[in-house]
Structure formats: structure tokens, C-alpha cells
Amino acid sequence: MQTTGIARRDVPERRRDTLERLAGERDIWVSTAHPDHGPHQVPLWFWWDGRAVWMCTGETSATARNVRQEPRVRLALPDTFDVVLLQGEAECFPDRGVPEDAADAFAEKFGWDPRAEEGPFLYIRVAPRTVLAWRGEPELRGRVLMRDGAWLE
């Protein structure tokens, strides 16, 4: 693990950087599990509304089936050096029942509106209960930024 030249960020700076990444990035890894079939992990597009991650997948996908059976999920931004992990419970919305503002913002971000597609889609909202973030070994200690849904100071 690279440690040379890494400046340890304090919690407010790490939180700010994490929120900027959530607002600006496109892809997130979604880890789910099914009681009978075990773990499943896929990258999905996401939109951050300031409090929760919104994703969309086919209504019959393994991810959709899994979150209906076991709503606890882990999300990860795709960078192994600047790590951001979120844990929470998935809340599901069929494409015809998703809040309009969330679906509109998702469509605007990606230029694609699942509600206009022929097949059924499922929107998944995850409000994190835990957020961890670190850059390299110097930031492993103190990597928890959110616990029980509350940002730490």
C-alpha cells in the first residue's frame, strides 16, 4: 500500500471530499446477497441526492431480486486508493412508482430515462447508515465518517 507523500486529511476534509465524489461520480459497485444464492456484486450508475444513493436496474435482475429478499447492501466507489464504502438498506421503487424528482434527476444525469423503456425497471434508494473513507494507510485510523446514519464531526 502506498504511504509515501500521503497527507492525512482531517474528518471535515474527508467528509467534504466524500460528498464531492458522491455528487460527481457516475458508477458505484453494489454488493447484495440472496439467502439461497449468496453474494452478488455489480457496477451501476448512481445519482446522489444529498442524503441517499439512487440506482436503477432491471426489475428481474439478480440485484433487484436480492434487495427484495435482503435489503442490506454495501456500496463502493470504484477507486482502490481513495476508498469510499457505504452501508445501508435498500428501498425499492418500481419505475412507475418512483418519486418523479428522483427519476427526473437520474435521467438528467445520464441522458437515459428507464421509465421510457419497454421493460420494467426498479429504482433502488440507499440512505447510508455507515460511511467509511480513506486514502492509504495513514487514514485507516478514523476512517468511519458516518455511524448510525449520522455524520461524525
Side-chain angles (χ1 to χ4, degrees):
M1 182 177 288
Q2 179 183 355
T3 59
T4 308
I6 299 172
R8 181 178 167 82
R9 298 170 294 169
D10 61 17
V11 170
E13 182 180 9
R14 200 178 310 182
R15 177 180 169 184
R16 186 195 70 235
D17 292 348
T18 297
L19 290 169
E20 285 176 6
R21 288 190 64 204
L22 287 168
E25 294 210 21
R26 181 191 70 182
D27 303 313
I28 198 161
W29 284 94
V30 183
S31 298
T32 62
H34 188 277
D36 299 325
H37 305 291
H40 178 73
Q41 187 176 42
V42 296
L44 291 177
W45 286 348
F46 80 98
W47 169 65
W48 172 253
D49 71 3
R51 295 184 326 197
V53 169
W54 287 85
M55 301 159 286
C56 192
T57 188
E59 192 173 84
T60 60
S61 71
T63 300
R65 288 192 310 269
N66 288 355
V67 298
R68 286 185 178 120
Q69 290 288 315
E70 171 53 77
R72 293 177 298 172
V73 300
R74 176 169 266 183
L75 309 173
L77 293 180
D79 187 332
T80 59
F81 180 72
D82 191 3
V83 177
V84 175
L85 299 173
L86 301 90
Q87 288 180 242
E89 289 198 14
E91 185 179 3
C92 299
F93 298 87
D95 56 9
R96 303 294 178 220
V98 66
E100 192 172 335
D101 59 335
D104 289 347
F106 186 91
E108 182 178 325
K109 180 174 181 177
F110 298 108
W112 172 66
D113 191 340
R115 299 169 297 176
E117 297 291 333
E118 197 167 306
F121 283 84
L122 184 74
Y123 287 82
I124 300 169
R125 178 186 183 271
V126 177
R129 299 285 304 152
T130 305
V131 176
L132 296 91
W134 70 92
R135 285 186 190 151
E137 186 274 332
E139 290 189 354
L140 284 174
R141 181 178 293 148
R143 65 185 169 257
V144 177
L145 297 181
M146 177 186 281
R147 185 177 288 124
D148 298 325
W151 291 102
L152 303 179
E153 296 304 319

